mmCIF file of all heavy atoms in Angstrom:
data_model
loop_
_atom_site.group_PDB
_atom_site.id
_atom_site.type_symbol
_atom_site.label_atom_id
_atom_site.label_comp_id
_atom_site.label_asym_id
_atom_site.label_seq_id
_atom_site.Cartn_x
_atom_site.Cartn_y
_atom_site.Cartn_z
ATOM 1 N N LYS A 149 36.528 -9.554 50.787
ATOM 2 C CA LYS A 149 35.112 -9.588 51.149
ATOM 3 C C LYS A 149 34.686 -8.284 51.809
ATOM 4 O O LYS A 149 33.575 -7.793 51.585
ATOM 5 C CB LYS A 149 34.838 -10.776 52.066
ATOM 6 C CG LYS A 149 34.944 -12.119 51.359
ATOM 7 C CD LYS A 149 34.666 -13.279 52.300
ATOM 8 C CE LYS A 149 34.747 -14.606 51.558
ATOM 9 N NZ LYS A 149 34.497 -15.769 52.447
ATOM 10 N N THR A 150 35.585 -7.727 52.613
ATOM 11 C CA THR A 150 35.301 -6.453 53.260
ATOM 12 C C THR A 150 35.134 -5.346 52.226
ATOM 13 O O THR A 150 34.153 -4.588 52.260
ATOM 14 C CB THR A 150 36.437 -6.081 54.232
ATOM 15 O OG1 THR A 150 36.498 -7.045 55.272
ATOM 16 C CG2 THR A 150 36.200 -4.708 54.833
ATOM 17 N N ILE A 151 36.091 -5.242 51.314
ATOM 18 C CA ILE A 151 36.040 -4.202 50.284
ATOM 19 C C ILE A 151 34.774 -4.345 49.452
ATOM 20 O O ILE A 151 34.071 -3.363 49.170
ATOM 21 C CB ILE A 151 37.286 -4.257 49.375
ATOM 22 C CG1 ILE A 151 38.559 -3.978 50.177
ATOM 23 C CG2 ILE A 151 37.148 -3.263 48.225
ATOM 24 C CD1 ILE A 151 38.603 -2.622 50.827
ATOM 25 N N ARG A 152 34.444 -5.564 49.062
ATOM 26 C CA ARG A 152 33.230 -5.783 48.262
ATOM 27 C C ARG A 152 31.985 -5.339 49.017
ATOM 28 O O ARG A 152 31.094 -4.689 48.454
ATOM 29 C CB ARG A 152 33.102 -7.258 47.872
ATOM 30 C CG ARG A 152 31.922 -7.518 46.946
ATOM 31 C CD ARG A 152 31.675 -9.003 46.689
ATOM 32 N NE ARG A 152 30.642 -9.182 45.695
ATOM 33 C CZ ARG A 152 29.341 -9.056 45.933
ATOM 34 N NH1 ARG A 152 28.913 -8.720 47.149
ATOM 35 N NH2 ARG A 152 28.449 -9.227 44.973
ATOM 36 N N SER A 153 31.911 -5.674 50.301
ATOM 37 C CA SER A 153 30.722 -5.322 51.082
ATOM 38 C C SER A 153 30.579 -3.809 51.235
ATOM 39 O O SER A 153 29.461 -3.281 51.242
ATOM 40 C CB SER A 153 30.758 -6.001 52.453
ATOM 41 O OG SER A 153 31.763 -5.457 53.289
ATOM 42 N N ILE A 154 31.704 -3.097 51.331
ATOM 43 C CA ILE A 154 31.661 -1.636 51.423
ATOM 44 C C ILE A 154 31.186 -1.034 50.100
ATOM 45 O O ILE A 154 30.356 -0.124 50.068
ATOM 46 C CB ILE A 154 33.043 -1.061 51.805
ATOM 47 C CG1 ILE A 154 33.433 -1.482 53.225
ATOM 48 C CG2 ILE A 154 33.062 0.465 51.676
ATOM 49 C CD1 ILE A 154 34.862 -1.143 53.606
ATOM 50 N N LEU A 155 31.706 -1.561 48.989
ATOM 51 C CA LEU A 155 31.352 -1.033 47.673
ATOM 52 C C LEU A 155 29.858 -1.170 47.388
ATOM 53 O O LEU A 155 29.277 -0.344 46.670
ATOM 54 C CB LEU A 155 32.153 -1.749 46.580
ATOM 55 C CG LEU A 155 33.676 -1.560 46.591
ATOM 56 C CD1 LEU A 155 34.318 -2.283 45.418
ATOM 57 C CD2 LEU A 155 34.047 -0.086 46.580
ATOM 58 N N TYR A 156 29.223 -2.196 47.947
ATOM 59 C CA TYR A 156 27.804 -2.444 47.680
ATOM 60 C C TYR A 156 26.896 -2.064 48.854
ATOM 61 O O TYR A 156 25.709 -2.373 48.846
ATOM 62 C CB TYR A 156 27.589 -3.908 47.294
ATOM 63 C CG TYR A 156 28.112 -4.226 45.909
ATOM 64 C CD1 TYR A 156 29.418 -4.671 45.722
ATOM 65 C CD2 TYR A 156 27.322 -4.030 44.777
ATOM 66 C CE1 TYR A 156 29.919 -4.931 44.448
ATOM 67 C CE2 TYR A 156 27.812 -4.282 43.502
ATOM 68 C CZ TYR A 156 29.114 -4.731 43.350
ATOM 69 O OH TYR A 156 29.598 -4.988 42.089
ATOM 70 N N TRP A 157 27.460 -1.379 49.851
ATOM 71 C CA TRP A 157 26.672 -0.940 51.010
ATOM 72 C C TRP A 157 25.780 0.218 50.596
ATOM 73 O O TRP A 157 26.241 1.189 50.022
ATOM 74 C CB TRP A 157 27.620 -0.500 52.120
ATOM 75 C CG TRP A 157 26.995 -0.255 53.451
ATOM 76 C CD1 TRP A 157 26.110 -1.055 54.108
ATOM 77 C CD2 TRP A 157 27.239 0.874 54.313
ATOM 78 N NE1 TRP A 157 25.792 -0.505 55.333
ATOM 79 C CE2 TRP A 157 26.472 0.681 55.490
ATOM 80 C CE3 TRP A 157 28.039 2.015 54.211
ATOM 81 C CZ2 TRP A 157 26.474 1.581 56.543
ATOM 82 C CZ3 TRP A 157 28.051 2.907 55.265
ATOM 83 C CH2 TRP A 157 27.272 2.696 56.414
ATOM 84 N N ARG A 158 24.482 0.135 50.903
ATOM 85 C CA ARG A 158 23.539 1.171 50.490
ATOM 86 C C ARG A 158 22.724 1.719 51.658
ATOM 87 O O ARG A 158 21.614 2.230 51.477
ATOM 88 C CB ARG A 158 22.581 0.612 49.422
ATOM 89 C CG ARG A 158 23.256 0.069 48.178
ATOM 90 C CD ARG A 158 23.991 1.131 47.408
ATOM 91 N NE ARG A 158 23.088 2.073 46.755
ATOM 92 C CZ ARG A 158 23.491 3.154 46.093
ATOM 93 N NH1 ARG A 158 24.786 3.451 46.024
ATOM 94 N NH2 ARG A 158 22.619 3.950 45.524
ATOM 95 N N ASN A 159 23.259 1.632 52.854
ATOM 96 C CA ASN A 159 22.493 2.098 54.009
ATOM 97 C C ASN A 159 22.204 3.596 53.945
ATOM 98 O O ASN A 159 23.079 4.398 53.632
ATOM 99 C CB ASN A 159 23.255 1.804 55.305
ATOM 100 C CG ASN A 159 22.510 2.320 56.519
ATOM 101 O OD1 ASN A 159 21.403 1.872 56.805
ATOM 102 N ND2 ASN A 159 23.088 3.278 57.219
ATOM 103 N N THR A 160 20.960 3.951 54.276
ATOM 104 C CA THR A 160 20.562 5.359 54.378
ATOM 105 C C THR A 160 19.938 5.660 55.745
ATOM 106 O O THR A 160 19.592 6.811 56.016
ATOM 107 C CB THR A 160 19.548 5.727 53.282
ATOM 108 O OG1 THR A 160 18.399 4.873 53.394
ATOM 109 C CG2 THR A 160 20.157 5.570 51.892
ATOM 110 N N VAL A 161 19.765 4.641 56.564
ATOM 111 C CA VAL A 161 19.132 4.812 57.873
ATOM 112 C C VAL A 161 20.172 5.284 58.891
ATOM 113 O O VAL A 161 21.164 4.595 59.139
ATOM 114 C CB VAL A 161 18.486 3.502 58.361
ATOM 115 C CG1 VAL A 161 17.871 3.691 59.743
ATOM 116 C CG2 VAL A 161 17.448 3.012 57.365
ATOM 117 N N LEU A 162 19.944 6.450 59.477
ATOM 118 C CA LEU A 162 20.863 6.991 60.471
ATOM 119 C C LEU A 162 20.320 6.690 61.868
ATOM 120 O O LEU A 162 19.247 7.180 62.229
ATOM 121 C CB LEU A 162 21.027 8.497 60.296
ATOM 122 C CG LEU A 162 21.545 8.963 58.924
ATOM 123 C CD1 LEU A 162 21.732 10.474 58.934
ATOM 124 C CD2 LEU A 162 22.838 8.271 58.564
ATOM 125 N N PRO A 163 21.022 5.884 62.656
ATOM 126 C CA PRO A 163 20.559 5.557 64.003
ATOM 127 C C PRO A 163 20.430 6.818 64.862
ATOM 128 O O PRO A 163 21.193 7.773 64.695
ATOM 129 C CB PRO A 163 21.667 4.639 64.548
ATOM 130 C CG PRO A 163 22.373 4.129 63.335
ATOM 131 C CD PRO A 163 22.297 5.232 62.336
ATOM 132 N N SER A 164 19.466 6.827 65.742
ATOM 133 C CA SER A 164 19.311 7.969 66.641
ATOM 134 C C SER A 164 20.423 7.944 67.686
ATOM 135 O O SER A 164 20.951 6.895 68.037
ATOM 136 C CB SER A 164 17.945 7.914 67.334
ATOM 137 O OG SER A 164 17.817 6.719 68.089
ATOM 138 N N ARG A 165 20.805 9.101 68.163
ATOM 139 C CA ARG A 165 21.807 9.271 69.220
ATOM 140 C C ARG A 165 23.183 8.710 68.851
ATOM 141 O O ARG A 165 23.947 8.297 69.700
ATOM 142 C CB ARG A 165 21.326 8.640 70.520
ATOM 143 C CG ARG A 165 20.073 9.295 71.086
ATOM 144 C CD ARG A 165 19.733 8.759 72.459
ATOM 145 N NE ARG A 165 19.509 7.323 72.439
ATOM 146 C CZ ARG A 165 19.353 6.577 73.517
ATOM 147 N NH1 ARG A 165 19.440 7.116 74.709
ATOM 148 N NH2 ARG A 165 19.129 5.279 73.423
ATOM 149 N N ILE A 166 23.479 8.696 67.589
ATOM 150 C CA ILE A 166 24.807 8.244 67.147
ATOM 151 C C ILE A 166 25.808 9.388 67.326
ATOM 152 O O ILE A 166 25.488 10.552 67.098
ATOM 153 C CB ILE A 166 24.762 7.773 65.678
ATOM 154 C CG1 ILE A 166 26.092 7.125 65.272
ATOM 155 C CG2 ILE A 166 24.426 8.922 64.741
ATOM 156 C CD1 ILE A 166 26.033 6.447 63.913
ATOM 157 N N ILE A 167 27.019 9.055 67.750
ATOM 158 C CA ILE A 167 28.105 10.032 67.875
ATOM 159 C C ILE A 167 29.176 9.673 66.852
ATOM 160 O O ILE A 167 29.604 8.521 66.772
ATOM 161 C CB ILE A 167 28.725 10.014 69.292
ATOM 162 C CG1 ILE A 167 27.664 10.306 70.353
ATOM 163 C CG2 ILE A 167 29.872 11.019 69.367
ATOM 164 C CD1 ILE A 167 27.075 11.687 70.292
#
Side-chain angles (χ1 to χ4, degrees):
K149 290 180 179 179
T150 296
I151 297 299
R152 185 187 186 282
S153 70
I154 294 171
L155 296 182
Y156 288 91
W157 191 47
R158 302 296 290 175
N159 178 63
T160 58
V161 178
L162 301 183
S164 60
R165 297 187 301 172
I166 188 171
I167 302 295

